[in-house]
Amino acid sequence: MQVPIPRGHNTNMGSILRAHSRLLSKYPATMQCLQAGVLMGVGDASSQFLVEGKSLGDYEWRRTARFLAIGTFFIGPVLKKWYGLLDCKFGSGKGISAVKKVASDQLIFAPTFLGAFLSVLGVTQGRSVTQIQQEIKTNYKDIMLTSWSVWPAVQTLNFSFVPLHHQVLVVQTFAIFWSTYLAWKTNRGH
């Protein structure tokens, strides 16, 4: 599927969008996973520079690499499968289909996924099982409540108006802000 480029836009940007669209059509799983990884990495870098106020000398590149890897090898594949399952189970489009998807996403997937994410993050940080359990005990409720304050609206729009093959990109683009929050929240005091 070609992405139409409005007249007057920079041709370089148009070329990038067309190349992205071609790659997404040809390699949907790979592209969605890479997108998730890059955007998670951007979220962590944003947290370090914009929220935490770190200088370039204090920047923790390993932390960003960890978020990039988690996005690429964990979040991207899981979201792709989950959105495919939701689409298969409830169909596409607005109305009751989108409501069922959002309800399933927020009441079943999100609570489970958050626990898994915090566990995977803890493992990649070299933390012990006890430390990971403490991190979950300390942050889970606050992160989940914050999640429920933003994600239902995002997912309602995503499931109602965005084609399945672009849903991971839309979520991960919004998730730059979410990743910034998660990076800040899970790295305070470390």
Side-chain angles (χ1 to χ4, degrees):
M1 173 178 144
Q2 289 284 332
V3 175
I5 306 300
R7 294 178 113 185
H9 272 52
N10 183 327
T11 55
N12 289 335
M13 181 57 80
S15 297
I16 291 169
L17 290 174
R18 280 190 296 280
H20 176 267
S21 185
R22 278 192 305 275
L23 288 170
L24 185 59
S25 293
K26 192 171 182 176
Y27 308 104
T30 301
M31 287 300 292
Q32 289 173 349
C33 292
L34 289 173
Q35 288 167 174
V38 167
L39 294 172
M40 284 291 293
V42 168
D44 179 71
S46 296
S47 175
Q48 289 192 54
F49 291 120
L50 302 176
V51 177
E52 300 165 43
K54 290 186 177 183
S55 68
L56 194 54
D58 293 330
Y59 174 67
E60 297 175 51
W61 66 269
R62 284 188 175 112
R63 190 176 115 180
T64 298
R66 185 172 27 257
F67 270 78
L68 190 143
I70 290 170
T72 301
F73 300 109
F74 175 63
I75 294 173
V78 169
L79 289 181
K80 182 180 182 336
K81 289 288 186 193
W82 175 244
Y83 292 163
L85 176 68
L86 288 177
D87 204 61
C88 183
K89 179 83 174 151
F90 301 119
S92 298
K94 303 175 193 173
I96 195 70
S97 174
V99 170
K100 288 178 180 178
K101 285 181 174 182
V102 172
S104 296
D105 188 63
Q106 294 303 301
L107 298 174
I108 299 168
F109 180 76
T112 305
F113 184 75
L114 176 57
F117 169 78
L118 292 172
S119 298
V120 168
L121 180 62
V123 168
T124 64
Q125 291 171 325
R127 296 197 177 139
S128 69
V129 171
T130 304
Q131 290 171 317
I132 293 169
Q133 289 171 334
Q134 183 58 45
E135 179 78 18
I136 291 171
K137 184 177 177 183
T138 302
N139 287 322
Y140 183 89
K141 182 180 177 184
D142 188 43
I143 293 172
M144 198 69 250
L145 292 173
T146 303
S147 172
W148 283 334
S149 73
V150 295
W151 283 106
V154 172
Q155 290 295 50
T156 298
L157 294 172
N158 193 32
F159 293 141
S160 295
F161 301 107
V162 179
L164 178 61
H165 66 282
H166 288 296
Q167 287 177 357
V168 171
L169 176 60
V170 168
V171 164
Q172 284 306 126
T173 299
F174 181 80
I176 290 173
F177 302 104
W178 184 247
S179 299
T180 301
Y181 166 74
L182 284 178
W184 168 78
K185 184 75 174 170
T186 58
N187 285 285
R188 290 180 308 153
H190 295 289

